[in-house]
Each structure stands twice: as structure tokens, then as C-alpha cells.
Amino acid sequence: MKNNDIIYRESVLGALRSKAEQLFYTDADKRHPEGGDRTAQLLHELEIYELELQLQNEELRSSYAALEMERLKFVSLFNTAPVGYLILDNRGTISEINETGLQLIYNQGAGIKGKPLKSFIVDDSQHAYASFVERISETDERLQCEVRLKTKKTETRYVQLNGIKAPGTNTDQQSFYITITDVTHAKRNEQELWETTERLNQTLKVSLTGTWMVKSKGEKIFLDEYSKNILDIQNRAQLVPWKALLDILVEEDRPKLNALFSNCDESHEIDLELRLIKRNGHLKTILVKGKSVNPIYGSSYYAGIMTDITDRKRNLQLREETEDIQRRLLRRAAIEAQEKERDNLSAALHNSVCQILYGIRFNLSQLAKQESFKSHLDGINSLLDQAIREVRTISVELTPSILKDFGFVAGIKDMTDRLGRAGFKVTTSIDQRADQLPEETQLYLFRIVQELLNNSIKHSGTNSASVSLCAKNGEVDLIVSDAGRGLSSQLNDAFKKGSGLRGIKNRVSLLNGTMTIEDADGITFKIHLPKGV
């Protein structure tokens, strides 16, 4: 059977002959030769053949011009294309290559054609290239691979080869059409991205940090493996229903998570501390950080990290407790030093100054027996009695021996009696169970009452105050108030200026208590000491 090409050629030649005959018979001088004139018939055929050849020649010139035009277009496109083009013969030798391919393969134009492509490929990519050539020779499909090429410099270039098998000029040979694309920049970016990701993964792993993401108005949250480990979630799926997280959070922290998902469209940063209940019943504290991301395409979403800060919180709490203990020890040492100094001063006044005053009064009493000195010594004796009373009062205030000997209730009563004799009235309501408190607690409470009453005497502008103390179930409530002027400055300024108020605050802190101040219609100090002080 004739193939399509032969049939096409015969149809074209037949058309050209018909056209030649038409041209020949249109000439008025041409006539059909007589059937018996053999010479005329031959001339007739030769003339038709001549016209046919002229037409074929014109057709060939026209086809050649069109082909040349197409060839020039192809050559221009072939050489200026941003992608390298190569044609390899069946042995892998470069038979054709464009300018871009020349630059990609060896950065030079001389000596490329006629050389095998594999000679420009680095050793560690030879196996991949050989496999690529073998595969495209066995299939009609387009295949690709990545290899590294040698360059003039020490560095190598990553390229992507795309190839397909094509028949050669001879039926028993085949060639390969290859495109070569420089992917060095992409590979370096990929390598940098991989290294950055690996460093990030190692950092997240060491720091017990995971990543998360949730779409706006989404019902599920993306959690990586680190996040699921932190949350103690066994679900292998990366997308976890966010409502499942509510079940593992403590009830007080669930509104925080609800607020996070309900306000996903807002552009603000997230900084939350959430407590969750582990399967063993222990509490874990996690820190959730993130921000709203608004991509060019698609809806906004939240993305961030979460970190297990349980140990950090515990260590911080221990450090704060240690620092608090140290501060309390310092304050206790300072107060004990004050009390010791008070004892020393009280002893000095009682054992030294008072004894001297008693001796002076005794000697003066001996002189008073003489009538000539009696009138002069009466006034001196009165002053001495007053001095002795003042020294004894100072001594008692410095070290209230009655507090040590008879307890808190008696100490407060003695204090209020002495203030009453001086013209300052104190109304008291003291729970008898206060005497059962530890001695240190009684002393601190006594000093607090003493300082507050002294402040009332000095600054309130009134001559009365009230003291109430209740000791019940191991807890103590102390209230000291007056109806005077109150504080003349802000509370913080008062604590900065007044050493007495600072001393009260320190003592309350040492007893683990709390103090509130009401500065209206006078001033009221309310002090609460918890059980166990």
C-alpha cells in the first residue's frame, strides 16, 4: 500500500500537470496535433513538461522562501530563548545548542558541539544523568531530572533537564531534544529554607515550643507534633477541633480561648497564659503567642507558637518565694535589732538614769530636813518626780515589760491608761484570746497599735481613738480608727514620708497579713492576719 507522503506527492504533481496543460492550450497558436504526426506529439509533450517544470520550480522557490523565513524565525527564537536548548544524538553527543545553553553548560562557546553532555556533569550527578538518558530512550514521554554542571569557577551550577526522544534523519537512529534550565538560585533558596527550617525545628524541640495556626472563623486548629506533645493530645491528625482544647483547659481559662477564636478577624497580637489539666491530673501552664496574618489572597488567619512554661513558672514562683523570704528575714532582723536597741535603752534608763534620779531625790530629802532649805527643795522634788515619771514612761514604751509578764490584753490596757492620764481617750475592745497568740505576734501587734495611736495623737487633731481586736479560729482582725483629719497626702506619698507607716507595713508583711486604709471621716486602719501567724 502507498503511504500518505507518496499519495500527497502524486496529487501535487497531477495538479501541476493539469495547470500546465491549461496554460498550454490557452495559447491561440497552439493546436492539438494530428494523431499521425509523432514528432508533433513529442514536441507537444515536451512543451507541456517544460511548463510543468517551470511551475514546479516556482512552487519550490516559493516553498524554499517560506521555509527560510520559518527557519530564520526558529533560529532567532532558538538562540535568544531564556532556556537552554540542546539536541543530542543517540550517543549523547551535543549536535545543536543555543546561546543560553552555551552559557549554562560551560560559560564558553568554543568546543561544545561534538562533545558528550555527560563530560560537563559533575561526578555525583553522573548516575542520575545516565538514568535520565536511558529512560527517555525507552519511552515517548517527556521526562526530567536535576544534575549539577561544571563551570569555570570552583562552584557548580544546578540545572533541570527536560527531554524527549525524537527520530533522527535515519530510521535506525534517534536523537534527543533537551531543555536545560538554571535552578541554582532556587536550589540555594531551597537549601537555605531547609537549613532555616531545620534550625527552627531544633530550636523548637529544645525549647519545648510548638507551632499552631487557625483560620478566621475556623472550627479546627493546626497543631504540629511539638504542640500536640505540649498539649498532651493523642490525635494524630494535624487539624484538631478547637473545642477539644476546651476540655483540657481549667475552667477559668476557657473564656480566653473562646475570645481568641471569636475575634480572629481582629489585627492584634496574642499573648496568653493557659493552664491545662494533664492526663495524670497535674496542671501545666503554656504560653501562647501569635498574630493575625493577612495574606494577599485568601482570608486572614492566626499563626504563632506555644511553649510549656510550667517549669519556668514554678522556678519563678520559687524565686519570688525565696526573695520574699529574704526580704522578710531582713525586715525581721531590722525589727529585732530595733527591739534589742529598745531593750538596751530601756535598761539604761531604768538601771542608770532612774537610779541617779532616785539618788538625787534621796540626798535632797536629807537636806529638806533642815528648815532653811525646805522651801527651795519642794520645787526641785516636784521636777525630779516628773523626770522620774517621764523616764519610766519612756522605758515602758521602749520595752513594755507588762506585755511580756501579763500578755497582750494587759499591755494594751496599760498603754491606754497612760494615754488617758495624758488626756487622750482610747476606747478598746480586745479579745481575751489575743493572749494565746505567739509572743512575736503579740509584740508586733502591740507596736502597730502603739504607732497608730501615736500618729493619731500627733496628726489627727482629735483627742480620741478606738482599738478593736478579734482573735477567732486562729485569725486576727485589728481595727484602729479616729475621727480626725485623716491623711494629708496621697497614700503612697504617706508611706514614702512616714517611717512609722513603713514600719507598720513591714510588720504586717512579716505576719503574712493584709492592711487596708479608709481615709474618710477620719482614718481607719484594718489589718487582717491569716490563720497560723
Side-chain angles (χ1 to χ4, degrees):
M1 293 180 65
K2 296 181 179 180
N3 60 31
N4 293 332
D5 291 340
I6 295 175
I7 295 174
Y8 174 74
R9 285 197 297 270
E10 288 181 350
S11 64
V12 171
L13 291 175
L16 290 174
R17 185 174 181 84
S18 299
K19 185 176 182 181
E21 289 177 346
Q22 291 176 2
L23 291 173
F24 180 81
Y25 288 119
T26 54
D27 192 342
D29 296 333
K30 304 293 181 181
R31 295 290 186 270
H32 290 283
E34 296 296 331
D37 192 347
R38 181 66 178 169
T39 302
Q41 290 181 353
L42 291 174
L43 289 174
H44 169 71
E45 289 293 331
L46 288 174
E47 288 176 348
I48 291 175
Y49 286 149
E50 182 181 4
L51 287 174
E52 184 179 357
L53 290 174
Q54 290 177 357
L55 291 173
Q56 290 180 0
N57 188 41
E58 291 176 0
E59 187 74 20
L60 287 173
R61 280 201 300 267
S62 176
S63 299
Y64 178 79
L67 288 173
E68 183 65 17
M69 182 65 68
E70 293 299 324
R71 190 189 70 82
L72 291 175
K73 291 180 181 179
F74 172 76
V75 169
S76 176
L77 179 63
F78 182 75
N79 285 322
T80 60
V83 178
Y85 288 103
L86 300 88
I87 299 178
L88 305 181
D89 61 19
N90 62 333
R91 294 172 299 175
T93 302
I94 301 173
S95 59
E96 294 292 339
I97 185 170
N98 68 347
E99 294 294 332
T100 304
L102 290 173
Q103 296 297 322
L104 289 176
I105 288 182
Y106 208 59
N107 202 22
Q108 64 182 15
I112 298 296
K113 290 185 179 181
K115 289 186 178 181
L117 179 59
K118 70 176 184 179
S119 63
F120 301 101
I121 298 176
V122 298
D123 295 339
D124 58 6
S125 295
Q126 288 289 342
H127 178 73
Y129 173 71
S131 176
F132 168 71
V133 174
E134 181 180 357
R135 286 185 292 119
I136 62 173
S137 64
E138 296 175 351
T139 180
D140 293 331
E141 297 179 359
R142 183 179 297 275
L143 302 176
Q144 69 177 31
C145 75
E146 284 188 4
V147 296
R148 288 196 302 145
L149 296 181
K150 301 173 183 177
T151 65
K152 283 184 176 181
K153 301 179 181 179
T154 57
E155 71 270 11
T156 57
R157 176 178 288 141
Y158 289 90
V159 297
Q160 178 177 294
L161 301 179
N162 284 268
I164 190 170
K165 179 176 65 176
T169 55
N170 299 323
T171 58
D172 59 342
Q173 293 183 351
Q174 60 185 8
S175 58
F176 307 106
Y177 294 163
I178 307 294
T179 63
I180 178 171
T181 307
D182 189 357
V183 294
T184 305
H185 185 67
K187 291 292 288 186
R188 288 174 179 170
N189 289 341
E190 181 182 349
Q191 178 68 18
E192 292 178 0
L193 178 61
W194 180 86
E195 292 175 354
T196 302
T197 303
E198 189 64 21
R199 288 195 299 269
L200 177 61
N201 287 335
Q202 292 298 325
T203 302
L204 294 176
K205 184 176 181 180
V206 172
S207 61
L208 299 177
T209 301
T211 58
W212 61 271
M213 184 185 73
V214 59
K215 292 184 178 180
S216 176
K217 308 295 185 182
E219 296 182 355
K220 292 185 177 182
I221 180 172
F222 165 83
L223 298 173
D224 66 358
E225 291 300 321
Y226 300 130
S227 295
K228 287 190 284 189
N229 289 336
I230 290 172
L231 296 173
D232 203 17
I233 293 178
Q234 300 300 314
N235 192 339
R236 292 188 176 183
Q238 288 186 327
L239 291 177
V240 178
W242 69 267
K243 291 184 178 179
L245 302 182
L246 293 175
D247 296 335
I248 61 176
L249 292 181
V250 298
E251 188 173 356
E252 295 83 355
D253 291 349
R254 292 175 185 175
K256 298 180 183 179
L257 192 63
N258 279 324
L260 169 63
F261 287 96
S262 61
N263 298 325
C264 241
D265 290 333
E266 296 182 5
S267 298
H268 66 274
E269 294 188 357
I270 303 167
D271 192 351
L272 296 177
E273 282 190 12
L274 300 174
R275 294 166 298 165
L276 57 91
I277 305 172
K278 298 174 63 177
R279 284 179 294 173
N280 58 12
H282 294 166
L283 283 178
K284 178 187 285 188
T285 304
I286 60 173
L287 177 64
V288 180
K289 284 182 172 290
K291 62 180 298 184
S292 177
V293 179
N294 298 308
I296 298 176
Y297 303 104
S299 58
S300 62
Y301 61 90
Y302 271 163
I305 61 172
M306 63 174 61
T307 308
D308 183 357
I309 60 171
T310 305
D311 292 338
R312 188 192 310 174
K313 291 285 289 184
R314 185 183 300 113
N315 293 335
L316 179 61
Q317 183 179 359
L318 289 175
R319 185 174 66 183
E320 290 177 350
E321 290 176 354
T322 301
E323 292 176 352
D324 183 63
I325 291 174
Q326 291 175 347
R327 288 192 296 267
R328 289 165 61 85
L329 289 175
L330 289 173
R331 288 196 296 266
R332 186 183 298 275
I335 291 174
E336 289 177 352
Q338 291 177 2
E339 293 296 333
K340 186 176 181 180
E341 188 63 25
R342 287 170 181 266
D343 290 341
N344 293 335
L345 289 174
S346 177
L349 290 173
H350 183 271
N351 299 328
S352 178
V353 177
C354 278
Q355 297 303 321
I356 293 173
L357 292 174
Y358 283 131
I360 293 172
R361 189 172 64 175
F362 175 77
N363 290 328
L364 290 175
S365 65
Q366 296 299 319
L367 291 174
K369 295 178 180 179
Q370 301 179 20
E371 292 296 332
S372 58
F373 293 99
K374 188 175 185 306
S375 59
H376 297 286
L377 293 176
D378 287 340
I380 297 175
N381 282 327
S382 176
L383 293 174
L384 282 174
D385 289 339
Q386 183 179 355
I388 291 172
R389 286 195 301 270
E390 292 291 338
V391 171
R392 290 183 63 186
T393 300
I394 294 173
S395 177
V396 170
E397 289 183 351
L398 287 173
T399 303
S401 58
I402 190 172
L403 178 67
K404 297 179 179 179
D405 296 336
F406 300 101
F408 181 81
V409 177
I412 293 294
K413 186 177 184 306
D414 179 69
M415 181 198 303
T416 57
D417 289 343
R418 286 186 286 102
L419 292 175
R421 289 192 296 269
F424 190 85
K425 183 181 179 180
V426 181
T427 304
T428 61
S429 176
I430 308 298
D431 195 329
Q432 296 294 323
R433 288 171 292 190
D435 289 340
Q436 300 174 7
L437 296 173
E439 291 185 1
E440 185 181 63
T441 302
Q442 293 185 43
L443 178 60
Y444 284 7
L445 289 173
F446 181 86
R447 293 301 186 196
I448 291 171
V449 173
Q450 186 181 52
E451 183 63 36
L452 291 176
L453 291 179
N454 286 336
N455 284 342
S456 293
I457 294 172
K458 294 177 183 178
H459 307 296
S460 69
T462 184
N463 60 356
S464 65
S466 64
V467 178
S468 172
L469 187 142
C470 177
K472 184 178 180 181
N473 297 328
E475 298 183 357
V476 178
D477 287 292
L478 172 65
I479 301 176
V480 179
S481 63
D482 64 55
R485 290 189 292 264
L487 293 175
S488 59
S489 60
Q490 294 293 329
L491 189 60
N492 291 333
D493 295 335
F495 276 104
K496 291 178 181 179
K497 297 176 181 178
S499 59
L501 288 177
R502 289 199 304 271
I504 293 171
K505 184 178 180 181
N506 289 337
R507 286 182 169 86
V508 172
S509 176
L510 287 174
L511 294 173
N512 292 325
T514 58
M515 179 173 65
T516 58
I517 302 175
E518 297 177 0
D519 189 15
D521 297 327
I523 189 167
T524 300
F525 291 85
K526 294 182 178 180
I527 297 169
H528 175 77
L529 305 183
K531 186 176 181 179
V533 296

